[in-house]
Each structure stands twice: as C-alpha cells, then as structure tokens.
Amino acid sequence: MSDPRLHPANGRVAHVSVGGEVEGTLLRVLRPVTGLMSEGGRARLRELVFGEGFVELERRDGWSFGMAARDGYVGYLRSEALGDGPPPTHRVRAARTYALPVPALKAPDAPLVLPFGAQVTVLGTAEDSTTTWAEIAGPVPLHLPLPHLAPLDAPEADPVEVAERLSGTPYLWGGNSTFGIDCSGLVQAALLACGIPCPGDSDLQEALGAPATGPHERGDLIFWRGHVAIALDESRMIHANGHHMEVAVEPIAEAEARIAAKGGGPVTARRRL
C-alpha cells in the first residue's frame, strides 16, 4: 500500500509520477511559516517556510493540494500562502533574521521575521554604517542583513553544528521552523542545510545512511519509536523533545533511561550518514 505522505494523489487528481495526468505548478511560500495540513486542515502534518517550493496539483475551497518540493511530502496548504516567485538564490543561515523595507538598521517599520532555512532571491546589495544588506525579490522592497544569508549552492559542512545553532528552539509537533520544531524537523533542517537529502518524518529517516556500530560518533542518528536525535559525540546528543520543550543537548544514557521509563521503549536503530 502506498504511503499517503509520499503519494501525490487525493482521489480527484494525481501527479504524473504515480500514473496521474497532472504535472503541477511550482509555487513559493509567501509567509514566514505555514502548515502542511491534512485535507480540510484538520491536522498539521509538517510545515514549509518562506520561499520554499510547493508543487500545486489542485486548488479548491481555499486549499492547495500538492507536495513539498524539498522532499515530496504530500498535503494541503492555504492557497493564500502561495504565489509565484523567481528561483531562490540564498537561504537564511541564522536561527532567525528579519527583513526591513529600507536597508537601514534603524528603520522605523516593524520587521518581517524569517526563520532558519527560509529561501530568498537576492537582487543586489546596499550598505549602511552598520552592515551590508541584501535586497530580495518580492511584491514590495525588502532588505535582510547579508551576513544572515548563505548561497544555496554553498551548503553547510556539518549537520551537528547546524543543529546546535538551533538550540533553544521551542518544541512543536510537526514543526519545521525556528519558531517551533520537532525531532524529525530538526534532523531534516540540519541535513538539508548541508545538501543531504532527507525525508520529513523519523520513521522515513531510519532509511538514511547505514547501520552504525561501535561507540556513537558525531552525526549518528539515534532512533526510538517515533523519535530521533543526533549524536554530538560518544556520550551526548541533541534533539527537539517534549521533555525539555525545546531543542536541547543531554547525555545519551540519561535520555535512553528517561524515554524507556516513560514508555517510549529502547533505541530501535542507529544510522551513520
């Protein structure tokens, strides 16, 4: 049976990849973050952030059905959260940044706050006495601090360092942004920033890499039933979790004992990328 998370069909339309007739339209997310929902918006499945691509297969009653360009995850977005846009050139590398209508640190307008991983199209740069600003494409002029951006064709080198950069991010089930993130969202954000393809949910992520043996190594993925963490070294790990309600670092042995005591069972797999 096809996994509905990765099967772009809903009984009315189907993508050509699964034998349907619709190729879809690539659109961009226009909001800082928006939920990828089940039909009718009954439940949040995952999230997409500003500038990420969404292949729209159907638009109906204010909802767009399709799949996230980053990983093929299927669901529904509010149609008003989508629009046309040029291909992005840069991504937000800081945990969060902001956009202002003028390239000036003391601009009086309220900033638009964008999360880690947001994608923008840089049109040019400008300088004030403080920093260099990137002008980005959009319906209105916006400027971001250039040091908060990295070119899309210059991936990060270390997924662990990326995950550590997101320490303290609030825990949110199904979250994919630095406004709120869950365990698999953290792993995906860290790997995608390094140019490593990664699915959205922890059970799908168990297929990454190869089985890990011996002591934990930096970057190993540690899995429980419905949970995943990233090893920092032999004894510590980082994960987004409901116990701390944030992205936190803790000893692996302590986490294993606590998760088992709360009914989460033992470690089910370790994978080495």
Side-chain angles (χ1 to χ4, degrees), residues 83-142:
D84 295 319
T89 61
H90 289 69
R91 57 180 173 79
V92 174
R93 65 173 303 276
R96 281 165 295 279
T97 191
Y98 52 85
L100 294 167
V102 294
L105 191 62
K106 296 182 180 180
D109 305 87
L112 172 70
V113 181
L114 298 179
F116 177 87
Q119 298 182 6
V120 299
T121 304
V122 174
L123 302 176
T125 60
E127 304 218 8
D128 69 1
S129 60
T130 305
T131 190
T132 302
W133 297 84
E135 179 186 354
I136 64 169
V140 297
L142 287 173

